[in-house]
Amino acid sequence: MAVVDQFLCIFHLFLVSLVLCDRTSQKIYISLTATHACFRRLNATHQIGCTSSIKGNVGVVHHVENNTDLDWIIDKGPHQPYIALMTADTFNVTNINRIRKSQKFNGIMVIHTVNVTKVPEFSFSTDKACPNDGYGLYKDDAEYAHCRNVTWNTAANNLMFQDFDFPIFALSNQTEVDTLVEKCYKKFNQPQNGVARKYPLCAAELKDRMKAAKDAESCTRRSNLVLNLVPDQYCDPVGDYNVHANFKAVNTTQTRRPKSVILAATRMDTFSLFDGLTVTANSPVTGLVTLLAAAQALGQGAIKKELVENDNHKDIMFAFFQGESFDYIGSSRMVYEMEKKQFPVKGTSGEVVSIHPIELGHLSHIVELGQLGYAQLPAHNLWLHSSNSTEQLITTFKKAGSTSDVTMEQPPLQQPLPPASMQRFLRKAHIPNLFISDHQAEFDNKYYHSRFDIPSLIHGNYSDNGTTVTDLARFLQGVSTAVARGLYMLATNKTNASNIQVETSTVNQLLYCFLQNPNCSLFQSVINTTKLSKLADKPYPFDTRVQSSPSTNTYLVRQLLASYTGDYLQDRTKDNCSRPNNDYTHEFYWMQGPEANGSRTGMCIRSTANESDAVSPVFHKTGIPDYNWTSGEYSTWTESVWANDAISVRIFLIPSEEIKVTTLVTGIAMFTVSMVAVYFINKRADILFTTQTAY
């Protein structure tokens, strides 16, 4: 019994010590929660991004509001290492290079708070000047390779593809930023008349420890080594899922004619230096919304019936690619599967009916939508880029544009295609094509692939619950109508499609839900609460991550596409909204349905809309035997793995070295005196602690 009591006593003391340690930690540190890390990615040749030491990088916080502040740290700052707290204006390539060269910094924090941070006057794109260079149609072309003819992204600063040896975080909470500036920097660190402050100083600890290193081939090989029962994972392939749907459900018992499918495509991903901070309005949202709205218009009643039932009409396949920002991951995977006759179904037994495989030879045309938002500005047109177009294709879309009050022009014939997903298809087959964009040559978007590609720059910001129609919505309504009419005329070989019209409210709803508030009535109506129980109140980022953590936007696009192109089955309930065991021609989706009188009845949608892998073929489960990782044939991007506690930001006060030494010496002295006292007390215990005799 005594042993049990002793154990309980020790256990209680242990719990108390944990509580006291936690309380002590809370008194010492202030943790910042609204942080967005720069993390490490790797391809076949090198690593990019950021990492920290195992325990985090520590430095004295200094607010860099202008170049003079940075000059002071580099020339006079005595308390290195520093953590730079930078604004949108000071976080530029020139200053970052100065910081790296000085070797006086241990990390960077960048202020980026919604509705407070202003877009810098200078151009800012974290991508390359030639996006996806080496992976498109012109890889080995002597005239066009490496953007020799046109430099598409003149705003490029290449920050995304640099390898930083210190952590960089973006801070998105204004209250936490105010704490850093007012209670940390100004109170303890701000120089007085150009003279550095004395201790104590306010410091920050930036922890962003990545597991992967060197390159994708090395970290993949290490991840595949099984050395214990719980193998270590060092990196995962970058990827997600493509979304696609056809109007004609041609199954494996039928014949699909050559040149009978029009591919209408766009991308639905982007990237930025910081995780989870990127919505990016012009790329990809304008193209994404336009293609969804066109699909909705073509999926209406008699129009859809004609497209589906007339055997002489071409089929239209809508495709939304993921991972395109990282060397065309999604489109290259679809091409790979088409060549293997495994798209869209990965092979089934003979007794199962499924969608007939779509091969490259089945594609008659490719029409792709790129950035569109800047074409609404004065003196701007939409541009029809092509590497291999027919007169019919150009004429069809110019006419569709003219009947929709949208001007479409052609750039010079000798100009190459802009960075586009269709380039991966054109590397394998000669297919008539159109790439529709808001730029004739270089991008009009000076914030391409950055956190500054925001709705207000293209007149798409909302100040209410989406009831106000924006200028962007009005413009994209005309563009989506033109796209829908062009696809219809191309599929039917007709010269008139005035009966097809996209409603402005449809485009406005889509823009509001993607750019402002996903918890909107449109998204609520198409989700299945067993798959997605609750929608967020702020936009979901469009960053491509890893397939095990797919983007919520991928799911939402699939649900929207299914509802726009599918059939509403009124006789189905939630319990029987499922496909037959032997028929994979359609997918069946249960959706909440629109709200009426405070309740939802739900709806069962039958559609060909589905997802397919958007992971590089290099990482296919069967792999590519003897693949040359440096060949540039396929994307090899991976993302580093990190521990659950590997990413954090916290601030605290640090004393001077003198105080640290004094505290240490005092502690040692007190310990020594205590040990001596205990020794003598223990030796004289029989005298000091007399035992009374019981009578």
Side-chain angles (χ1 to χ4, degrees):
M1 190 67 181
V3 175
V4 174
D5 291 339
Q6 290 178 6
F7 172 77
L8 291 175
C9 180
I10 294 172
F11 181 70
H12 289 149
L13 289 173
F14 173 72
L15 291 178
V16 170
S17 68
L18 288 179
V19 173
L20 293 175
C21 287
D22 185 58
R23 289 180 178 176
T24 303
S25 176
Q26 291 176 8
K27 291 181 180 179
I28 296 175
Y29 299 100
I30 296 178
S31 296
L32 307 183
T33 56
T35 59
H36 306 267
C38 158
F39 47 79
R40 176 167 287 171
R41 294 183 177 92
L42 312 94
N43 68 2
T45 58
H46 61 287
Q47 63 187 26
I48 64 172
C50 311
T51 189
S52 72
S53 64
I54 294 177
K55 294 185 178 181
N57 288 25
V58 175
V60 175
V61 175
H62 198 100
H63 192 195
V64 182
E65 296 183 88
N66 49 55
N67 291 341
T68 303
D69 292 330
L70 186 57
D71 293 340
W72 185 91
I73 302 174
I74 294 174
D75 298 335
K76 300 179 180 179
H79 301 309
Q80 66 185 68
Y82 286 92
I83 298 290
L85 177 63
M86 308 186 79
T87 65
D89 288 324
T90 58
F91 185 71
N92 56 58
V93 174
T94 301
N95 287 341
I96 293 171
N97 289 336
R98 293 185 65 198
I99 285 173
R100 300 176 74 175
K101 186 178 180 180
S102 73
Q103 297 185 339
K104 295 184 73 172
F105 293 82
N106 244 357
I108 298 174
M109 294 183 289
V110 183
I111 299 172
H112 187 87
T113 53
V114 178
N115 300 325
V116 177
T117 297
K118 295 181 179 180
V119 175
E121 294 182 2
F122 54 85
S123 301
F124 190 95
S125 169
T126 60
D127 206 340
K128 303 173 186 176
C130 190
N132 290 344
D133 185 26
Y135 288 85
L137 177 62
Y138 307 106
K139 176 186 176 184
D140 300 316
D141 192 290
E143 183 179 359
Y144 297 130
H146 313 303
C147 294
R148 290 192 183 100
N149 188 279
V150 179
T151 301
W152 297 106
N153 188 21
T154 57
N157 57 34
N158 204 38
L159 279 179
M160 184 69 184
F161 297 94
Q162 294 191 31
D163 183 25
F164 297 96
D165 58 0
F166 53 71
I168 305 177
F169 281 83
L171 309 178
S172 60
N173 184 288
Q174 188 60 44
T175 301
E176 293 182 343
V177 170
D178 291 341
T179 298
L180 261 175
V181 174
E182 301 296 333
K183 297 183 179 180
C184 174
Y185 172 70
K186 288 185 177 181
K187 186 175 181 180
F188 294 99
N189 299 356
Q190 188 174 32
Q192 302 295 317
N193 299 319
V195 179
R197 299 276 285 272
K198 296 181 179 180
Y199 290 93
L201 297 172
C202 183
E205 178 193 85
L206 309 185
K207 191 176 180 183
D208 180 21
R209 182 63 178 178
M210 301 287 109
K211 287 187 176 183
K214 192 181 179 183
D215 55 53
E217 184 179 8
S218 299
C219 79
T220 300
R221 183 176 61 250
R222 293 177 65 200
S223 296
N224 291 335
L225 291 175
V226 181
L227 302 176
N228 50 55
L229 294 177
V230 184
D232 289 322
Q233 189 74 12
Y234 295 94
C235 62
D236 293 311
V238 171
D240 203 294
Y241 293 94
N242 297 324
V243 175
H244 54 84
N246 293 68
F247 277 128
K248 293 178 182 285
V250 180
N251 63 41
T252 48
T253 67
Q254 301 168 311
T255 301
R256 192 184 290 277
R257 294 180 290 108
K259 307 297 181 183
S260 63
V261 179
I262 301 168
L263 175 60
T266 191
R267 65 171 57 184
M268 55 176 171
D269 73 290
T270 183
F271 64 58
S272 173
L273 192 62
F274 303 109
D275 173 40
L277 195 63
T278 312
V279 176
T280 56
N282 200 42
S283 174
V285 174
T286 54
L288 171 72
V289 164
T290 300
L291 191 58
L292 282 172
Q296 193 268 349
L298 292 171
Q300 299 298 305
I303 300 170
K304 177 185 172 184
K305 182 179 175 65
E306 179 189 2
L307 289 171
V308 171
E309 294 182 357
N310 192 320
D311 292 336
N312 294 321
H313 292 348
K314 291 182 175 67
D315 190 12
I316 301 174
M317 183 175 81
F318 300 95
F320 299 80
F321 296 119
Q322 274 283 15
E324 296 302 277
S325 304
F326 289 99
D327 301 335
Y328 303 122
I329 292 176
S331 55
S332 63
R333 181 58 180 266
M334 184 176 287
V335 171
Y336 175 83
E337 292 180 347
M338 284 185 174
E339 288 185 307
K340 300 289 184 181
K341 300 181 180 181
Q342 295 177 346
F343 178 83
V345 177
K346 310 298 186 296
T348 55
S349 65
E351 298 179 356
V352 176
V353 177
S354 61
I355 286 284
H356 192 289
I358 299 175
E359 303 172 36
L360 292 172
H362 292 131
L363 301 182
S364 66
H365 304 83
I366 303 176
V367 178
E368 183 177 348
L369 305 182
Q371 304 177 74
L372 301 172
Y374 283 91
Q376 67 179 300
L377 304 179
H380 279 65
N381 302 320
L382 284 178
W383 295 91
L384 304 177
H385 305 266
S386 180
S387 69
N388 176 26
S389 63
T390 62
E391 187 64 30
Q392 179 203 12
L393 183 57
I394 297 294
T395 302
T396 296
F397 274 85
K398 280 189 174 182
K399 182 174 182 179
S402 65
T403 60
S404 308
D405 296 324
V406 177
T407 303
M408 295 185 178
E409 300 290 345
Q410 282 181 272
L413 294 177
Q414 69 273 18
Q415 182 174 296
L417 280 173
S421 302
M422 66 169 61
Q423 292 198 29
R424 294 298 303 191
F425 291 83
L426 300 178
R427 283 179 61 165
K428 301 293 184 178
H430 295 286
I431 305 169
N433 57 80
L434 275 186
F435 181 80
I436 305 175
S437 75
D438 59 9
H439 55 92
Q440 177 184 355
E442 67 182 62
F443 296 163
D444 288 331
N445 182 3
K446 300 307 178 184
Y447 303 101
Y448 177 76
H449 281 178
S450 84
R451 66 190 191 280
F452 299 118
D453 185 5
I454 57 178
S456 60
L457 295 181
I458 49 176
H459 309 302
N461 52 314
Y462 292 87
S463 58
D464 54 21
N465 60 357
T467 55
T468 300
V469 178
T470 63
D471 292 340
L472 179 62
R474 293 189 186 91
F475 173 71
L476 292 185
Q477 179 272 332
V479 179
S480 54
T481 297
V483 170
R485 290 176 178 178
L487 291 173
Y488 174 83
M489 290 190 287
L490 206 60
T492 62
N493 206 28
K494 293 184 176 181
T495 57
N496 183 20
S498 58
N499 58 321
I500 298 174
Q501 183 75 26
V502 173
E503 297 296 329
T504 305
S505 59
T506 300
V507 178
N508 199 57
Q509 274 188 311
L510 286 167
L511 287 172
Y512 174 74
C513 295
F514 278 116
L515 294 176
Q516 185 72 26
N517 182 16
N519 192 21
C520 59
S521 58
L522 174 61
F523 284 5
Q524 288 172 356
S525 67
V526 299
I527 65 171
N528 183 339
T529 53
T530 60
K531 299 288 185 181
L532 184 63
S533 59
K534 186 178 180 181
L535 291 163
D537 293 322
K538 62 179 182 179
Y540 293 108
F542 283 87
D543 305 271
T544 298
R545 296 292 306 280
V546 296
Q547 196 178 56
S548 58
S549 301
S551 168
T552 303
N553 287 317
T554 301
Y555 169 77
L556 292 170
V557 169
R558 188 198 70 183
Q559 296 296 102
L560 289 165
L561 189 60
S563 68
Y564 289 162
T565 62
D567 302 313
Y568 172 36
L569 306 180
Q570 299 186 27
D571 59 335
R572 297 288 185 108
T573 65
K574 187 175 183 179
D575 294 332
N576 64 2
C577 186
S578 58
R579 66 187 179 198
N581 292 332
N582 63 343
D583 189 350
Y584 283 68
T585 307
H586 294 90
E587 294 293 327
F588 289 74
Y589 299 102
W590 180 257
M591 303 179 185
Q592 284 196 118
E595 185 177 10
N597 299 321
S599 63
R600 301 178 188 273
T601 57
M603 56 184 183
C604 183
I605 301 294
R606 180 183 62 192
S607 173
T608 61
N610 210 336
E611 297 174 348
S612 61
D613 289 330
V615 177
S616 172
V618 175
F619 304 107
H620 189 270
K621 60 183 178 181
T622 59
I624 301 177
D626 301 320
Y627 179 73
N628 179 6
W629 284 72
T630 59
S631 66
E633 179 65 22
Y634 295 110
S635 172
T636 56
W637 284 108
T638 61
E639 179 181 291
S640 176
V641 172
W642 58 84
N644 292 333
D645 61 347
I647 297 180
S648 64
V649 176
R650 57 184 184 176
I651 58 176
F652 58 97
L653 293 181
I654 54 173
S656 65
E657 291 299 323
E658 292 81 358
I659 293 178
K660 290 180 182 179
V661 172
T662 301
T663 303
L664 177 62
V665 171
T666 302
I668 294 173
M670 291 182 64
F671 174 76
T672 303
V673 170
S674 299
M675 292 301 294
V676 171
V678 168
Y679 171 77
F680 282 107
I681 291 173
N682 185 60
K683 192 171 183 180
R684 299 290 189 271
D686 56 335
I687 299 174
L688 296 174
F689 307 105
T690 58
T691 303
Q692 295 182 355
T693 304
Y695 294 97

